[in-house]
Amino acid sequence: MASPQALSEDDRRLVALWAADCAERVLALFEAEAPDDDRARDGIRRARAFGRGELDTAGEIRRRFEAGRAAQSATTPAAVAAARSAGQASGVAHMGAHALGAAAYAAKAASLAAADHDTARRTEVLWQLQQMTHDVRAALARLPLRGADSSGPLGAGLLASGILATTIREIQAELQR
């Protein structure tokens, strides 16, 4: 049985476009440090192409880690988080829950790059919520709450604690309204 964090392919295609938008908002933080490393930008481009139906799931599952590896080219925490956001966006083809990971890492990157961390994070989350179409909201609302299912990125792991978990909980709470 597939994980409830996977979502249907149609839903993954919808949320991939939103995740790519979230990741692209902070991409400049990564590119300022690693202008010759195009893996994060390529991951966002592939997430969009997958969302438009131009790339197949199997191929993107094989390539899903490439964008996230760009984080090794970054030195500041904000740039690392921006690269990880792109990596999470490119992972949506594999599992829809990665869209929330892309949003959480983007909010973390924005927060780390700002003087007022909490305000920047909240502003980024508000922007992300405003970008959701009705269909994206509905698809993301089908995901289990963070921590309720261990069979994917919303279980134990990088998204399970700290500011990433807090951000995902906030987004999911808004989706339940």
Side-chain angles (χ1 to χ4, degrees):
M1 181 172 149
S3 166
Q5 294 187 44
L7 296 177
S8 70
E9 184 172 325
D10 287 342
D11 282 348
R12 289 194 314 274
R13 289 189 187 280
L14 282 171
V15 302
L17 295 169
W18 174 78
D21 289 345
C22 293
E24 189 166 51
R25 287 256 304 175
V26 296
L27 181 62
L29 296 171
F30 171 75
E31 290 182 330
E33 285 192 24
D36 297 327
D37 188 339
D38 66 349
R39 293 177 291 181
R41 180 169 292 283
D42 183 61
I44 293 168
R45 182 194 61 74
R46 286 186 295 101
R48 281 207 173 94
F50 173 77
R52 292 187 303 262
E54 298 165 5
L55 296 175
D56 69 346
T57 300
E60 290 313 292
I61 287 173
R62 284 192 301 278
R63 290 186 290 274
R64 72 185 183 274
F65 296 115
E66 292 172 14
R69 288 188 188 115
Q72 298 166 354
S73 297
T75 56
T76 66
V80 169
R84 289 186 176 152
S85 178
Q88 290 284 316
S90 70
V92 172
H94 171 249
M95 193 164 279
H98 284 295
L100 292 175
Y105 271 114
K108 180 178 180 176
S111 168
L112 292 169
D116 184 344
H117 300 308
D118 193 52
T119 298
R121 186 186 67 78
R122 289 178 189 276
T123 299
E124 193 64 20
V125 169
L126 179 61
W127 180 88
Q128 293 168 352
L129 292 166
Q130 291 170 340
Q131 303 315 301
M132 289 181 190
T133 65
H134 173 75
D135 290 339
V136 167
R137 288 180 75 89
L140 291 172
R142 286 190 270 283
L143 291 168
L145 294 177
R146 199 216 52 75
D149 174 70
S150 63
S151 64
L154 298 177
L158 293 175
L159 303 179
S161 63
I163 200 65
L164 298 172
T166 298
T167 301
I168 290 170
R169 275 194 302 272
E170 288 174 1
I171 292 170
Q172 288 189 312
E174 183 62 33
L175 292 172
Q176 300 303 313
R177 291 180 194 188

